[in-house]
């Protein structure tokens, strides 16, 4: 993708132009980077435009990434997918970063919790489980985000964070502790789901249709390593484990351990 284009417009509105402001330190209104994507999109458009919208751009980009990977998302590919001129999307976005933000916000729109889920632990657990489902459906999210990524600064990601923080409010924690709890749970989710996605990626690389196929492909390395006798506890795991192929159980067990630790540490 290329960067922002001079004279492009946002949400169907021409970008402001004219001399720079006279007041020192005042953001230049002619610079689209001085105004966030979300502020621009919240502005009412002067006239409805049915041919192209930020939502259509996001949906097309998500379809491309789900099918062919995040690197396949380019302005030219988007234009082809949407049957518009290559420059048309620049009316709404200034470059790849904006497209990634729209994509992230679009997929996290699916993360909704029932209104009656209020207990902090229930909220954190439900958020974590739904986040895992979303990332497994859209594994390219792992490539463009991290627990502290600015990709979190989208309306739906912010709503998710707000719900988590609000569930901790009133429990006697200061705001720093509240944010530490949220960050800890998010970091667990990101790490655990990243490992799960890496496992599926390895299966594809090895041409393995199942976990048994993958174990067979890795058998020479594993047989040698275990045969050295240096890893007796791991060997016991290989012989006795009954949940090797149950990532849902593994994820929830780890998640509950994190939540138990938070509850014990903070007394909530």
């Amino acid at each position: 993708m290329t960067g922002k284009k001079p004279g492009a417009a946002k949400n169907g509105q021409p970008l402001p132009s004219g001399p720079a402001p006279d007041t020192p330190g005042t953001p230049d209104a002619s610079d689209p980077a001085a105004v966030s994507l979300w502020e621009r999109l919240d502005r009412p458009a002067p006239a409805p435009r049915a041919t192209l919208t930020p939502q259509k751009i996001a949906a097309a980009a998500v379809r491309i990434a789900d099918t062919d990977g995040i690197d396949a998302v380019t302005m030219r590919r988007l234009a082809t997918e949407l049957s518009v001129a290559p420059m048309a999307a620049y009316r709404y976005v200034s470059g790849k970063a904006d497209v990634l933000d729209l994509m992230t916000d679009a997929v996290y729109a699916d993360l909704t919790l029932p209104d009656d889920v209020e207990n902090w632990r229930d909220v954190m657990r439900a958020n974590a489980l739904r986040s895992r489902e979303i990332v497994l459906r859209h594994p390219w999210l792992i490539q463009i985000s991290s627990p502290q990524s600015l990709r979190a600064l989208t309306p739906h990601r912010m709503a998710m964070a707000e719900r988590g923080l609000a569930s901790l409010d009133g429990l006697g924690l200061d705001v720093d502790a509240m944010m530490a709890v949220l960050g800890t749970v998010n970091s667990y989710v990101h790490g655990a789901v990243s490992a799960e996605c890496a496992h599926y990626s390895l299966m594809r690389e090895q041409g393995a249709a199942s976990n048994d196929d993958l174990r067979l492909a890795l058998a020479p390395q594993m047989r040698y390593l275990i045969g050295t006798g240096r890893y007796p506890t791991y060997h016991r795991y290989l012989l006795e484990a009954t949940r090797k192929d149950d990532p849902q159980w593994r994820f929830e067990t780890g998640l509950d351990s994190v939540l138990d630790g938070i509850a014990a540490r903070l007394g909530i």
Side-chain angles (χ1 to χ4, degrees), residues 162-227:
E162 174 65 21
R163 185 75 180 272
L165 290 172
S167 73
L168 294 161
D169 202 11
L171 299 180
L173 305 179
D174 61 34
V175 292
D176 291 317
M178 290 162 55
M179 186 58 77
V181 170
L182 183 66
T184 297
V185 176
N186 286 345
S187 293
Y188 168 75
V189 173
H190 185 269
V193 182
S194 293
E196 192 172 349
C197 287
H199 176 85
Y200 298 135
S201 178
L202 180 60
M203 289 180 66
R204 288 191 296 272
E205 290 173 9
Q206 295 291 330
S210 68
N211 284 314
D212 283 339
D213 289 344
L214 181 61
R215 283 188 280 268
L216 186 62
L218 299 178
Q221 297 95 311
M222 184 63 75
R223 188 180 301 114
Y224 169 76
L225 291 170
I226 294 300

Side-chain angles (χ1 to χ4, degrees), residues 16-37:
S17 59
D22 295 329
T23 306
T26 301
D28 184 351
S30 66
D31 179 7
V35 181
S36 80
L37 169 67

